[in-house]
Amino acid sequence: MLAGLEALIFDVDGTLADTERDGHRPAFNAAFAEAGLDWEWTVERYGELLAVTGGKERIRHYIDRYRPGFRPPAGAGDLESLIAALHRRKTAHYVERLAAGGIPLRPGVLRLLREARAAGVRLAIATTTTPENVDALLAAAPEPGLADWFEVIAAGDVVPRKKPAPDIFTLALAQLDLPAAACVAIEDSDNGARAALAAGLRALVVTLSTYTREQDFSDVPLVVEQLDAPATALAGDLGGRDRVDLAVLAALRARVFGVVPSR
Ligand code: XBP
Ligand code: MG
């Protein structure tokens, strides 16, 4: 039934949980306010800023684009140190929000993880976000020890280039010691999809999230609104099923790569 499917590689933000609008965004704003900066990232503005992956990179882009001529206040060090300090505080605010149960896993995520675990399909994460954020999200989930289910957690600054570069997926594949053809990747964004495809992960599912509904996924073989029932395929097909389950993912992998992955 698994037809050569050996691992699932999950994105985090937007995929495991819809974290951007009500998780990351307010955490950035709280860090700015705390530092005495009158920067407020509205829901709409944040949508534009998400084109840049990585929180520190996003702050830098915002300054370049919207605060030209900004200089760090006296005592804050150079721009690089200020951004790093703001981002540390942002991470703290975000983790606090998660620990308070602020952001649940998306419907169907835990079911799919349980199915994979029961079937011996290995689990990995490939994300742009800071590792602490992943730990906090998994620790807050209603499944004790969930983080231990993931054999590989590739996150944040461990690679030189963030998504849409393939680096973080390439790292996850190397740590799994698997070819891309043995895996299915699960993403929610155009930058994430580009990264996965560039790493050879052509058996790719996109589950649309708050900020990604209007993005272009024309190169993605399976696009759904959500993983759980009632799921409908906006691109590709679910083989008559009403949710994204392991059978759907195995069929997708076989369709894209053929039955036996080559090592
Ligand atoms: C999404 C991102 C991240 C988060 C913020 O990553 O682009 O930058 O918005 O996280 P993914 P940090 O979808 O790959 O999980 O502030 O920790 O960078
Ligand atoms: Mg994402």
Side-chain angles (χ1 to χ4, degrees):
M1 176 275 226
L2 294 177
L5 173 61
E6 294 191 46
L8 305 182
I9 308 180
F10 284 86
D11 168 52
V12 173
D13 294 304
T15 301
L16 292 185
D18 212 341
T19 49
E20 295 289 8
R21 188 187 62 193
D22 301 326
H24 290 292
R25 185 185 65 87
F28 281 109
N29 284 334
F32 300 151
E34 213 174 57
L37 296 164
D38 66 344
W39 304 348
E40 170 81 24
W41 289 0
T42 61
V43 168
E44 199 188 348
R45 170 63 47 81
Y46 194 65
E48 291 165 32
L49 295 172
L50 278 172
V52 176
T53 59
K56 293 186 287 295
E57 294 81 353
R58 192 168 299 140
I59 297 172
R60 182 176 289 279
H61 166 76
Y62 171 77
I63 295 169
D64 290 346
R65 172 104 172 64
Y66 295 100
R67 303 281 166 177
F70 171 78
R71 297 279 168 273
D78 62 9
L79 191 56
E80 180 120 355
S81 330
L82 176 68
I83 291 173
L86 286 170
H87 191 255
R88 271 195 301 278
R89 291 300 303 149
K90 177 262 168 178
T91 299
H93 285 292
Y94 179 72
V95 163
E96 215 171 276
R97 193 170 278 260
L98 288 175
I103 310 202
L105 296 181
R106 289 186 68 181
V109 165
L110 205 47
R111 168 187 53 78
L112 190 53
L113 294 173
R114 285 180 176 138
E115 276 180 48
R117 188 169 157 82
V121 171
R122 298 160 67 194
L123 295 170
I125 278 175
T127 174
T128 297
T129 208
T130 303
E132 280 158 270
N133 299 346
V134 184
D135 296 344
L137 181 70
L138 297 177
E143 175 67 59
L146 184 59
D148 299 335
W149 293 15
F150 292 89
E151 207 175 302
V152 168
I153 298 185
D157 296 329
V158 291
V159 288
R161 298 173 307 165
K162 291 188 174 168
K163 299 175 188 176
D167 304 24
I168 200 75
F169 282 109
T170 305
L171 178 69
L173 285 170
Q175 292 184 351
L176 285 166
D177 191 24
L178 284 175
C183 304
V184 169
I186 299 139
E187 264 289 352
D188 74 301
S189 71
D190 54 1
N191 279 324
R194 281 165 63 196
L197 292 170
L201 289 156
R202 290 185 289 112
L204 170 65
V205 186
V206 161
T207 171
L208 300 176
S209 64
T210 298
Y211 280 113
T212 70
R213 290 179 196 284
E214 308 303 325
Q215 294 178 352
D216 176 11
F217 295 112
S218 43
D219 294 333
V220 177
L222 181 59
V223 180
V224 291
E225 283 275 344
Q226 57 179 30
L227 298 173
D228 228 359
T232 41
L234 306 171
D237 89 275
L238 293 170
R241 299 176 102 88
D242 66 350
R243 70 197 68 200
V244 176
D245 60 13
L246 217 49
V248 167
L249 298 182
L252 170 68
R253 196 216 63 77
R255 196 159 67 242
V256 171
F257 287 111
V259 176
V260 180
S262 53
R263 279 225 172 226

